[in-house]
Amino acid sequence: MKKINIILAALFAIPTLNAQDIDQTLNFFSQSEIRGTARFRALSGAFGALGGDLSAVSINPAGSSVFNKSHASFSVNINDNTNDAVYFNGNQSVNDSGFNLNQGGAALVFKSRNPEAKWKKFTVGLAYDRTRNLDNQWAVLGTNNQVSNNFDNTIASDFFDFADGLRLADISGQQGEPLTDAYIRIGGSPNGFNRQQAFLGFESGILEPGDILDDDNTEYFLNLENGNFTHDYSNLETGYNGKIAFNLSGQYGDNVYLGVNLNSHFIDYEQTTSLLETNDNGGAITNIDFRNVSAFTGNGFSLQLGGIFKLNKSLRLGVTYDSPTWLNVRSQLVQFLDTNTLVDAGQDPIDPRVINEFSEIKIKTPSKVSGSLAYVFGKQGLLSFDYSRKDFGNAELKESNNEVFKSEQLTAVSTYRFGGEYVYEQFSFRGGYRFEDSPYENGQTVGDLNGYSLGVGYNFGNTRFDVTFDQSNQSFQNRIFNQPLLTPVSIDRKILL
């Protein structure tokens, strides 16, 4: 359980495992974005029945055999993300932008020299795609005025929950023992991560034992008074999900294209969260400064099978099956805690500067099936439509003891993509729209996604220059700590590419 706890802490700064945490984690690893070449994004990724684009290979592996000659491409893009966050009486807007390599690869086409051969050509390709950009930041400053007898509007209650029922001797430093050494020692004990959180709460003065002289004490109280708590919270994330696809496809006859992708997935992610909680309720604790720096890396494998079929001169049909993705994920966490009681006592903050490392867990994302239709108006343009279905409820977390965790709140998602292109001499004018259902039954934790795109290209003959504007909007609800806050942070996110 500890390994899953730390993955959740890395993703959401939530150090205990419950149903919603599993939902968020599975959703995090299962989602992807429209990334790739400018032409691909300009049609909102509606390329399942078209092919002839290296990014389209990530949608339908049969698409590479549409090329008439060997092809290479790479794409760069500028991300511009805006998060508008609302938390009780406060709202903030945070914008960040970045520049990265979006896609790159090549496809080698080998045509048959035998005009009677059934297999007209084979294509071997290698393609890199940044499937999801994880760079993101948001912040809120607001006062939680929903007073509760359970103190569930303060971060202090998290530390209480970890300590409740544990022996004082198991969550405290020994006489003369430096806090860093105690933090390391306790982390190595059974259920060490949870005990470390209780240790932070006790040594910082947030928790008061019922009997501080009794090592077997298991009863604790909070050194706070009920009332309003102001939260100044910031979240900074960096990283990406990427995929390298080894592609093999072929053209059979004049109207059938078949292909397969063997995909290698990799994840590199870091999150820094900072919560400064203040109150003037009259208790001993009036300030809590809690910070977490977490990171994880992972790799995995998946398989794709696809086909494109020319039904007549203009109409094309595409079908694709994406297998589950099997991922192995490893994680780290560094923590910091300071309170006014430490300052008043002339003590330094609890800053162990210790990297907690945890062995990997296994994550299986759900499979996906897709169907596509495209109508090609000769050399004048095209219209395309893609539909896919992915059941997020089938995603799984698995510990090394083979205990499996699944979600009851995630559901099947339908995705719709529309794209069109009009060609005038050397110019191409493009547009697209996409819609994706919320993966949550409640439709609120992560909302529906809406996006549209516009693009233009110029064909120089042997090369082509394309530019695209792509915007998507989606709403989120986030908790800034693990207690069931009556009002979570509401975030409206706009992504421009």
Side-chain angles (χ1 to χ4, degrees):
M1 187 70 73
K2 178 176 66 175
K3 290 171 286 187
I4 293 181
N5 287 341
I6 192 61
I7 289 293
L8 298 167
L11 292 176
F12 309 105
I14 297 173
T16 58
L17 182 66
N18 57 46
Q20 183 171 340
D21 301 337
I22 296 174
D23 300 337
Q24 291 178 321
T25 304
L26 295 176
N27 175 50
F28 177 88
F29 284 104
S30 300
Q31 283 194 318
S32 60
E33 299 171 333
I34 298 293
R35 301 276 170 173
T37 66
R39 183 171 183 245
F40 178 80
R41 290 187 292 111
L43 272 68
S44 291
F47 259 85
L50 292 173
D53 184 284
L54 273 177
S55 290
V57 175
S58 68
I59 300 294
N60 189 334
S64 62
S65 56
V66 176
F67 288 122
N68 287 319
K69 56 184 178 180
S70 297
H71 180 85
S73 72
F74 74 94
S75 304
V76 296
N77 73 280
I78 298 175
N79 297 298
D80 187 90
N81 296 353
T82 301
N83 285 311
D84 295 319
V86 177
Y87 180 64
F88 288 97
N89 60 333
N91 60 81
Q92 291 193 48
S93 180
V94 178
N95 175 267
D96 69 279
S97 59
F99 177 86
N100 55 59
L101 176 65
N102 214 27
Q103 167 275 333
L108 302 178
V109 179
F110 302 91
K111 293 184 178 180
S112 174
R113 297 181 179 180
N114 180 4
E116 303 298 325
K118 293 293 185 180
W119 288 98
K120 302 297 184 182
K121 58 186 172 185
F122 290 95
T123 302
V124 177
L126 189 68
Y128 160 79
D129 282 287
R130 180 179 288 243
T131 56
R132 188 174 183 186
N133 180 38
L134 300 177
D135 293 348
N136 184 43
Q137 59 179 315
W138 54 273
V140 289
L141 174 61
T143 300
N144 190 326
N145 53 17
Q146 298 185 346
V147 180
S148 167
N149 292 330
N150 296 324
F151 289 93
D152 59 7
N153 59 344
T154 167
I155 185 65
S157 57
D158 265 10
F159 298 108
F160 175 84
D161 289 344
F162 281 116
D164 191 29
L166 296 179
R167 294 175 63 247
L168 178 60
D170 294 333
I171 64 170
S172 59
Q174 299 172 353
Q175 185 174 3
E177 183 182 26
L179 290 181
T180 295
D181 293 348
Y183 182 84
I184 295 173
R185 173 179 55 81
I186 291 172
S189 63
N191 202 24
F193 176 78
N194 291 355
R195 293 187 180 189
Q196 280 180 331
Q197 308 315 297
F199 165 82
L200 293 174
F202 168 69
E203 295 292 350
S204 66
I206 295 173
L207 302 177
E208 183 69 31
D211 186 351
I212 197 169
L213 299 178
D214 182 7
D215 285 346
D216 292 326
N217 173 83
T218 59
E219 186 178 18
Y220 302 91
F221 304 93
L222 291 176
N223 278 326
L224 297 90
E225 294 293 335
N226 256 320
N228 299 335
F229 294 88
T230 297
H231 298 126
D232 186 353
Y233 183 86
S234 65
N235 174 85
L236 174 64
E237 302 163 76
T238 59
Y240 63 96
N241 291 356
K243 179 178 72 174
I244 295 178
F246 174 76
N247 170 257
L248 178 64
S249 69
Q251 178 183 349
Y252 184 82
D254 295 326
N255 302 314
V256 177
Y257 305 84
L258 303 173
V260 59
N261 282 345
L262 303 178
N263 301 315
S264 175
H265 299 260
F266 44 92
I267 301 164
D268 189 356
Y269 174 84
E270 182 173 292
Q271 181 188 42
T272 300
T273 63
S274 175
L275 172 63
L276 177 59
E277 178 182 286
T278 59
N279 74 86
D280 56 2
N281 302 327
I285 296 291
T286 59
N287 294 275
I288 299 175
D289 184 1
F290 187 41
R291 309 173 198 172
N292 289 270
V293 179
S294 47
F296 66 82
T297 57
N299 55 72
F301 171 81
S302 70
L303 172 73
Q304 290 172 286
L305 302 172
I308 296 176
F309 308 92
K310 289 185 177 180
L311 304 182
N312 56 44
K313 185 177 180 180
S314 300
L315 188 61
R316 299 181 182 182
L317 169 70
V319 292
T320 309
Y321 168 75
D322 290 57
S323 76
T325 300
W326 294 271
L327 292 163
N328 297 319
V329 180
R330 299 162 297 281
S331 57
Q332 299 177 338
L333 178 68
V334 178
Q335 297 186 291
F336 171 97
L337 180 63
D338 194 13
T339 63
N340 63 290
T341 58
L342 293 174
V343 174
D344 294 342
Q347 298 180 16
D348 294 330
I350 303 175
D351 185 13
R353 301 188 182 183
V354 172
I355 299 176
N356 290 311
E357 296 189 359
F358 298 85
S359 56
E360 65 185 20
I361 64 170
K362 299 181 184 297
I363 297 176
K364 187 181 82 170
T365 72
S367 61
K368 182 174 71 173
V369 292
S370 304
S372 311
L373 281 174
Y375 194 90
V376 180
F377 299 93
K379 296 183 179 181
Q380 293 181 317
L382 59 90
L383 291 174
S384 182
F385 167 71
D386 284 14
Y387 170 81
S388 64
R389 188 178 188 276
K390 190 174 187 177
D391 191 349
F392 283 73
N394 290 331
E396 296 179 355
L397 288 170
K398 181 183 291 186
E399 288 194 275
S400 56
N401 62 4
N402 290 324
E403 185 176 3
V404 176
F405 300 87
K406 298 187 70 171
S407 168
E408 296 181 357
Q409 300 301 317
L410 296 177
T411 186
V413 168
S414 292
T415 301
Y416 308 85
R417 299 175 181 174
F418 302 86
E421 180 179 50
Y422 172 70
V423 179
Y424 177 75
E425 295 183 349
Q426 281 75 39
F427 288 94
S428 298
F429 303 93
R430 306 171 183 125
Y433 171 78
R434 59 191 169 107
F435 175 84
E436 183 173 314
D437 293 327
S438 167
Y440 282 83
E441 290 276 6
N442 62 21
Q444 297 178 348
T445 305
V446 175
D448 296 337
L449 181 145
N450 282 276
Y452 70 91
S453 53
L454 297 170
V456 63
Y458 187 87
N459 193 337
F460 293 93
N462 291 329
T463 60
R464 190 175 63 201
F465 179 75
D466 300 303
V467 293
T468 293
F469 171 84
D470 180 13
Q471 175 176 311
S472 63
N473 297 273
Q474 194 169 27
S475 62
F476 301 84
Q477 289 188 345
N478 288 68
R479 295 174 299 167
I480 61 175
F481 50 90
N482 196 40
Q483 294 305 311
L485 293 176
L486 300 180
T487 303
V489 179
S490 297
I491 302 173
D492 288 324
R493 180 174 303 162
K494 179 190 295 184
I495 300 178
L496 304 180
L497 297 176

